[in-house]
Amino acid sequence: MTARDELLGRSVAWFAEHGVGDTSLRTLAAGIGTSHRMLNYHFGSRAGLLGAVVEAVERAEQDALRELVATHEDPFEAGALFWQHVADRAAVFAPLFFELSTHAMRGEPHAALLRRWFAEGWSDALADGYRRLGVDEDRAATLALQSLAMARGLLFEVAVTGDRAAADTAMVRWTAMVRRELEAP
Amino acid sequence: MTARDELLGRSVAWFAEHGVGDTSLRTLAAGIGTSHRMLNYHFGSRAGLLGAVVEAVERAEQDALRELVATHEDPFEAGALFWQHVADRAAVFAPLFFELSTHAMRGEPHAALLRRWFAEGWSDALADGYRRLGVDEDRAATLALQSLAMARGLLFEVAVTGDRAAADTAMVRWTAMVRRELEAP
DNA sequence: GTCTATAACTCGATAGAC
DNA sequence: GTCTATCGAGTTATAGAC
């Protein structure tokens, strides 16, 4: 366990408990028993620290999705459970997720790793799921992209409006639409 | 034309030309012929200024959508044209849009207006379109939410990965899915 | 109401000593 | 790795001119 990993773990725990908000490096540092100078030393910048936090959370979430897909006969059931899991954490991590993704959109160097993480990890995991249902390569790629877009868009809605029920309904009906598409010729 | 409106118009134009990035108030002020003190005076804060910019852009976009829906027989055709319009501007305004939406997610006071703008404007406009196709109230609301989520999710993908072609394909196929849903009993 | 000028405070980032 | 400045920038506040 390096000093960096130790600080990263404590930062994730601190954010999970106190929320992310506009917490300053000084406030966070005081909260986890270090100095803002040390956070800059280990992570290069505030954005570098937040990027590492998001990457750690995303890695855990992607692992959770693969685990659910692997342990459930019905991929759609795994998807439903995963949506619940993600939406439950929306209030805490969605703002940080969308904030950091704007850094990736602007091509900022510290967000390069995050950019690849956003771009490849989720699409690949979802496309795998659709291929296992016997969908051909081309359709699987599009369905994966659509499912990812739908999930992120609904996550956005939940985070902004707080209307979880409407988003849940939309997700259930989206899943039903895909089912019917796959059963049709 | 108040001084505030004048500065807002020049700010939007400046951002459209130079991009948003991490432009400082001082840089922007110098670029549009004022001082950073005046920007704070008229908009309250940097976030207040950016919020006003996003609101102005969103208002124009929502008006454009209503205009397209009103002038086209086929609402799906209007939707396709609008998607093109929005995706073309993704590189410039998507980062700012998602950044400001995180302020709304955190319930920051200066983003209160923006929050309502995000939450109500688009859903209402889209639900109107579906109702005009004879869809009942409950389904129209869900379809509007799904269409909004799909569009924002694909906009997110375009902004992060730059893969416009994949997003266009996903949008075309989404529209086809909805068409089939509405034709089925 | 609009604008200029100035100062103080916080925060992110950096340099240098140890 | 750690600590003590130090700087630029966003923000807020005050005083005052037009």
Side-chain angles (χ1 to χ4, degrees), chain A residues 116-133:
Chain A
R116 290 193 50 200
W117 199 256
F118 286 159
E120 297 167 13
W122 293 106
S123 291
D124 291 353
L126 290 167
D128 276 349
Y130 283 116
R131 271 193 291 266
R132 279 187 13 191
L133 288 172

mmCIF file of all heavy atoms in Angstrom, chain A residues 116-133:
data_model
loop_
_atom_site.group_PDB
_atom_site.id
_atom_site.type_symbol
_atom_site.label_atom_id
_atom_site.label_comp_id
_atom_site.label_asym_id
_atom_site.label_seq_id
_atom_site.Cartn_x
_atom_site.Cartn_y
_atom_site.Cartn_z
ATOM 1 N N ARG A 116 -10.321 7.377 -21.806
ATOM 2 C CA ARG A 116 -10.334 6.001 -22.309
ATOM 3 C C ARG A 116 -11.257 5.152 -21.449
ATOM 4 O O ARG A 116 -11.949 4.275 -21.946
ATOM 5 C CB ARG A 116 -8.924 5.425 -22.292
ATOM 6 C CG ARG A 116 -8.015 6.062 -23.335
ATOM 7 C CD ARG A 116 -6.744 5.260 -23.498
ATOM 8 N NE ARG A 116 -7.004 3.848 -23.687
ATOM 9 C CZ ARG A 116 -6.102 2.889 -23.480
ATOM 10 N NH1 ARG A 116 -4.885 3.213 -23.073
ATOM 11 N NH2 ARG A 116 -6.408 1.623 -23.673
ATOM 12 N N TRP A 117 -11.240 5.410 -20.149
ATOM 13 C CA TRP A 117 -12.080 4.648 -19.236
ATOM 14 C C TRP A 117 -13.559 4.829 -19.567
ATOM 15 O O TRP A 117 -14.320 3.862 -19.648
ATOM 16 C CB TRP A 117 -11.780 5.087 -17.803
ATOM 17 C CG TRP A 117 -12.230 4.092 -16.796
ATOM 18 C CD1 TRP A 117 -13.316 4.165 -15.988
ATOM 19 C CD2 TRP A 117 -11.602 2.844 -16.500
ATOM 20 N NE1 TRP A 117 -13.415 3.046 -15.212
ATOM 21 C CE2 TRP A 117 -12.373 2.212 -15.506
ATOM 22 C CE3 TRP A 117 -10.477 2.183 -16.992
ATOM 23 C CZ2 TRP A 117 -12.046 0.962 -14.976
ATOM 24 C CZ3 TRP A 117 -10.150 0.956 -16.467
ATOM 25 C CH2 TRP A 117 -10.924 0.360 -15.475
ATOM 26 N N PHE A 118 -13.968 6.070 -19.780
ATOM 27 C CA PHE A 118 -15.347 6.359 -20.153
ATOM 28 C C PHE A 118 -15.683 5.714 -21.495
ATOM 29 O O PHE A 118 -16.762 5.156 -21.680
ATOM 30 C CB PHE A 118 -15.553 7.872 -20.297
ATOM 31 C CG PHE A 118 -15.597 8.605 -18.992
ATOM 32 C CD1 PHE A 118 -15.344 9.965 -18.950
ATOM 33 C CD2 PHE A 118 -15.894 7.944 -17.809
ATOM 34 C CE1 PHE A 118 -15.394 10.654 -17.743
ATOM 35 C CE2 PHE A 118 -15.939 8.628 -16.608
ATOM 36 C CZ PHE A 118 -15.673 9.987 -16.584
ATOM 37 N N ALA A 119 -14.756 5.845 -22.446
ATOM 38 C CA ALA A 119 -15.052 5.511 -23.836
ATOM 39 C C ALA A 119 -15.156 4.006 -24.055
ATOM 40 O O ALA A 119 -16.025 3.544 -24.793
ATOM 41 C CB ALA A 119 -13.978 6.106 -24.748
ATOM 42 N N GLU A 120 -14.279 3.230 -23.420
ATOM 43 C CA GLU A 120 -14.171 1.816 -23.788
ATOM 44 C C GLU A 120 -14.805 0.853 -22.785
ATOM 45 O O GLU A 120 -15.509 -0.072 -23.166
ATOM 46 C CB GLU A 120 -12.697 1.453 -23.984
ATOM 47 C CG GLU A 120 -12.066 2.231 -25.145
ATOM 48 C CD GLU A 120 -10.550 2.123 -25.163
ATOM 49 O OE1 GLU A 120 -10.013 1.258 -24.439
ATOM 50 O OE2 GLU A 120 -9.919 2.910 -25.888
ATOM 51 N N GLY A 121 -14.543 1.075 -21.509
ATOM 52 C CA GLY A 121 -14.947 0.093 -20.509
ATOM 53 C C GLY A 121 -16.404 -0.297 -20.573
ATOM 54 O O GLY A 121 -16.732 -1.483 -20.675
ATOM 55 N N TRP A 122 -17.289 0.699 -20.559
ATOM 56 C CA TRP A 122 -18.716 0.407 -20.484
ATOM 57 C C TRP A 122 -19.253 -0.177 -21.774
ATOM 58 O O TRP A 122 -20.007 -1.161 -21.753
ATOM 59 C CB TRP A 122 -19.494 1.673 -20.120
ATOM 60 C CG TRP A 122 -19.204 2.138 -18.732
ATOM 61 C CD1 TRP A 122 -18.445 3.214 -18.370
ATOM 62 C CD2 TRP A 122 -19.645 1.530 -17.512
ATOM 63 N NE1 TRP A 122 -18.391 3.323 -17.015
ATOM 64 C CE2 TRP A 122 -19.116 2.308 -16.451
ATOM 65 C CE3 TRP A 122 -20.432 0.435 -17.219
ATOM 66 C CZ2 TRP A 122 -19.357 1.996 -15.117
ATOM 67 C CZ3 TRP A 122 -20.670 0.115 -15.883
ATOM 68 C CH2 TRP A 122 -20.131 0.895 -14.851
ATOM 69 N N SER A 123 -18.890 0.409 -22.909
ATOM 70 C CA SER A 123 -19.372 -0.101 -24.190
ATOM 71 C C SER A 123 -18.987 -1.561 -24.374
ATOM 72 O O SER A 123 -19.806 -2.387 -24.800
ATOM 73 C CB SER A 123 -18.798 0.728 -25.343
ATOM 74 O OG SER A 123 -19.350 2.016 -25.346
ATOM 75 N N ASP A 124 -17.753 -1.887 -24.043
ATOM 76 C CA ASP A 124 -17.283 -3.262 -24.212
ATOM 77 C C ASP A 124 -18.082 -4.223 -23.338
ATOM 78 O O ASP A 124 -18.507 -5.287 -23.795
ATOM 79 C CB ASP A 124 -15.795 -3.348 -23.878
ATOM 80 C CG ASP A 124 -14.936 -2.626 -24.912
ATOM 81 O OD1 ASP A 124 -15.502 -2.187 -25.937
ATOM 82 O OD2 ASP A 124 -13.720 -2.490 -24.703
ATOM 83 N N ALA A 125 -18.284 -3.839 -22.083
ATOM 84 C CA ALA A 125 -19.015 -4.721 -21.165
ATOM 85 C C ALA A 125 -20.443 -4.956 -21.653
ATOM 86 O O ALA A 125 -20.945 -6.089 -21.645
ATOM 87 C CB ALA A 125 -19.026 -4.123 -19.764
ATOM 88 N N LEU A 126 -21.097 -3.904 -22.113
ATOM 89 C CA LEU A 126 -22.481 -4.030 -22.566
ATOM 90 C C LEU A 126 -22.571 -4.803 -23.891
ATOM 91 O O LEU A 126 -23.469 -5.633 -24.072
ATOM 92 C CB LEU A 126 -23.104 -2.639 -22.724
ATOM 93 C CG LEU A 126 -23.348 -1.898 -21.398
ATOM 94 C CD1 LEU A 126 -23.655 -0.431 -21.656
ATOM 95 C CD2 LEU A 126 -24.498 -2.542 -20.631
ATOM 96 N N ALA A 127 -21.640 -4.528 -24.799
ATOM 97 C CA ALA A 127 -21.651 -5.236 -26.084
ATOM 98 C C ALA A 127 -21.450 -6.736 -25.868
ATOM 99 O O ALA A 127 -22.080 -7.562 -26.546
ATOM 100 C CB ALA A 127 -20.568 -4.669 -27.004
ATOM 101 N N ASP A 128 -20.598 -7.084 -24.915
ATOM 102 C CA ASP A 128 -20.409 -8.497 -24.563
ATOM 103 C C ASP A 128 -21.734 -9.133 -24.179
ATOM 104 O O ASP A 128 -22.065 -10.233 -24.620
ATOM 105 C CB ASP A 128 -19.428 -8.628 -23.386
ATOM 106 C CG ASP A 128 -17.982 -8.607 -23.861
ATOM 107 O OD1 ASP A 128 -17.754 -8.710 -25.080
ATOM 108 O OD2 ASP A 128 -17.086 -8.491 -22.999
ATOM 109 N N GLY A 129 -22.482 -8.431 -23.345
ATOM 110 C CA GLY A 129 -23.775 -8.945 -22.913
ATOM 111 C C GLY A 129 -24.708 -9.211 -24.083
ATOM 112 O O GLY A 129 -25.350 -10.257 -24.157
ATOM 113 N N TYR A 130 -24.767 -8.265 -25.036
ATOM 114 C CA TYR A 130 -25.665 -8.442 -26.178
ATOM 115 C C TYR A 130 -25.180 -9.557 -27.108
ATOM 116 O O TYR A 130 -25.991 -10.315 -27.649
ATOM 117 C CB TYR A 130 -25.816 -7.125 -26.954
ATOM 118 C CG TYR A 130 -26.741 -6.151 -26.262
ATOM 119 C CD1 TYR A 130 -26.275 -4.938 -25.773
ATOM 120 C CD2 TYR A 130 -28.092 -6.447 -26.100
ATOM 121 C CE1 TYR A 130 -27.124 -4.043 -25.128
ATOM 122 C CE2 TYR A 130 -28.950 -5.567 -25.459
ATOM 123 C CZ TYR A 130 -28.463 -4.368 -24.984
ATOM 124 O OH TYR A 130 -29.309 -3.504 -24.345
ATOM 125 N N ARG A 131 -23.867 -9.677 -27.264
ATOM 126 C CA ARG A 131 -23.346 -10.754 -28.121
ATOM 127 C C ARG A 131 -23.724 -12.119 -27.561
ATOM 128 O O ARG A 131 -24.016 -13.057 -28.294
ATOM 129 C CB ARG A 131 -21.826 -10.625 -28.248
ATOM 130 C CG ARG A 131 -21.397 -9.734 -29.418
ATOM 131 C CD ARG A 131 -19.914 -9.876 -29.705
ATOM 132 N NE ARG A 131 -19.118 -9.311 -28.629
ATOM 133 C CZ ARG A 131 -18.646 -8.054 -28.619
ATOM 134 N NH1 ARG A 131 -18.886 -7.259 -29.633
ATOM 135 N NH2 ARG A 131 -17.936 -7.619 -27.609
ATOM 136 N N ARG A 132 -23.716 -12.202 -26.226
ATOM 137 C CA ARG A 132 -24.070 -13.490 -25.612
ATOM 138 C C ARG A 132 -25.517 -13.856 -25.869
ATOM 139 O O ARG A 132 -25.928 -15.009 -25.719
ATOM 140 C CB ARG A 132 -23.805 -13.431 -24.108
ATOM 141 C CG ARG A 132 -22.342 -13.666 -23.789
ATOM 142 C CD ARG A 132 -22.083 -13.788 -22.306
ATOM 143 N NE ARG A 132 -23.265 -13.956 -21.487
ATOM 144 C CZ ARG A 132 -23.255 -13.874 -20.162
ATOM 145 N NH1 ARG A 132 -22.130 -13.627 -19.536
ATOM 146 N NH2 ARG A 132 -24.370 -14.035 -19.478
ATOM 147 N N LEU A 133 -26.327 -12.858 -26.229
ATOM 148 C CA LEU A 133 -27.724 -13.140 -26.570
ATOM 149 C C LEU A 133 -27.863 -13.503 -28.048
ATOM 150 O O LEU A 133 -28.974 -13.700 -28.546
ATOM 151 C CB LEU A 133 -28.592 -11.913 -26.256
ATOM 152 C CG LEU A 133 -28.821 -11.624 -24.772
ATOM 153 C CD1 LEU A 133 -29.524 -10.292 -24.593
ATOM 154 C CD2 LEU A 133 -29.630 -12.741 -24.126
#
